[in-house]
Amino acid sequence: DQQVKQNSPSLSVQEGRISILNCDYTNSMFDYFLWYKKYPAEGPTFLISISSIKDKNEDGRFTVFLNKSAKHLSLHIVPSQPGDSAVYFCAASVWGNTDKLIFGTGTRLQVFP
Amino acid sequence: DVKVTQSSRYLVKRTGEKVFLECVQDMDHENMFWYRQDPGLGLRLIYFSYDVKMKEKGDIPEGYSVSREKKERFSLILESASTNQTSMYLCASRQGSQPQHFGDGTRLSIL
């Protein structure tokens, strides 16, 4: 059973526009969430995180929103750039047991000129 | 800068062979992890270790074992490789509550 779901396998966005990547989870015990970005032939790199005591965290062009009641988080990239083209994974864990990350299946973002 | 190095980028082995995947980190991190990444399944945790000679099962440990004799090195062992273990294998490490840092992966094919 997939506890963390990314229902959109792919997303295509024009350069300069907003990219919104979505992630849903089923386990109400999850209280710490991360986004990783992965380029082909490279390992995932950490992008941004959020704990359940917040509903928003911002880092430059990247903002993560958390809706606990809906068990939903989203990553907004504004403005999108061609270099943002990658696969994005969301991951979740229980705070205090953050060694056990549960990853989603990933969304491939393509930003075109 | 953080560096996690996986010894092979590509590896081809035969069914039944014993396979070793090696991972080294240079940040003196306590915790190390092995994942496999498969299309449509994301990353799944196989094993992790929080100290030398310590190991914990992840979500899919069957068919795998691990070894951590030194702090900087974490090995994944396929005792008797099978075709369903063909996958991308990713090693990661971290310290404390920091995010995990990943290596570039080993693409393993079992024929």
Side-chain angles (χ1 to χ4, degrees), chain B:
Chain B
D1 198 14
V2 173
K3 188 71 174 173
V4 178
T5 303
Q6 294 183 233
S7 56
S8 305
R9 293 302 301 272
Y10 301 94
L11 209 52
V12 180
K13 297 292 182 179
R14 295 211 171 270
T15 304
E17 280 192 70
K18 191 169 185 176
V19 181
F20 293 84
L21 301 184
E22 306 288 345
C23 175
V24 176
Q25 50 95 3
D26 65 357
M27 295 83 63
D28 202 36
H29 285 174
E30 299 286 343
N31 299 354
M32 297 188 73
F33 308 82
W34 275 107
Y35 293 86
R36 60 179 284 178
Q37 181 194 353
D38 299 289
L41 295 175
L43 280 72
R44 292 178 293 166
L45 181 64
I46 305 171
Y47 266 99
F48 66 101
S49 167
Y50 52 88
D51 202 352
V52 174
K53 297 191 186 295
M54 307 301 287
K55 62 184 180 183
E56 291 280 346
K57 292 181 180 179
D59 298 314
I60 52 164
E62 296 78 18
Y64 303 94
S65 63
V66 290
S67 172
R68 191 152 180 217
E69 297 295 319
K70 293 184 178 182
K71 191 175 185 180
E72 67 270 17
R73 186 179 296 270
F74 192 34
S75 303
L76 180 69
I77 303 157
L78 286 65
E79 298 291 344
S80 178
S82 64
T83 55
N84 63 11
Q85 291 177 311
T86 290
S87 186
M88 169 68 81
Y89 289 87
L90 291 160
C91 175
S93 74
R94 76 169 200 163
Q95 184 68 25
S97 60
Q98 296 301 307
Q100 295 179 24
H101 296 271
F102 284 84
D104 287 338
T106 296
R107 186 165 293 282
L108 175 65
S109 296
I110 307 296
L111 305 179

Side-chain angles (χ1 to χ4, degrees), chain A residues 27-38:
Chain A
N27 189 341
S28 57
M29 297 297 292
F30 288 150
D31 56 7
Y32 182 61
F33 305 89
L34 307 90
W35 284 93
Y36 278 84
K37 177 171 72 174
K38 186 180 186 300

Side-chain angles (χ1 to χ4, degrees), chain A residues 10-27:
Chain A
S10 64
L11 177 68
S12 190
V13 172
Q14 189 172 30
E15 182 178 6
R17 301 268 187 166
I18 184 171
S19 295
I20 300 176
L21 295 95
N22 294 305
C23 181
D24 297 293
Y25 60 97
T26 58
N27 189 341

Side-chain angles (χ1 to χ4, degrees), chain A residues 25-99:
Chain A
Y25 60 97
T26 58
N27 189 341
S28 57
M29 297 297 292
F30 288 150
D31 56 7
Y32 182 61
F33 305 89
L34 307 90
W35 284 93
Y36 278 84
K37 177 171 72 174
K38 186 180 186 300
Y39 293 119
E42 295 184 13
T45 54
F46 169 73
L47 201 53
I48 194 168
S49 64
I50 189 167
S51 71
S52 60
I53 60 173
K54 292 185 172 183
D55 54 17
K56 176 183 174 182
N57 190 25
E58 196 170 350
D59 184 2
R61 296 186 298 114
F62 302 91
T63 303
V64 57
F65 295 92
L66 176 62
N67 183 333
K68 292 185 287 294
S69 60
K71 295 192 183 70
H72 177 84
L73 65 155
S74 60
L75 175 69
H76 293 211
I77 306 173
V78 183
S80 301
Q81 299 174 354
D84 296 328
S85 297
V87 177
Y88 290 78
F89 292 97
C90 67
S93 72
V94 176
W95 188 258
N97 191 17
T98 52
D99 280 335

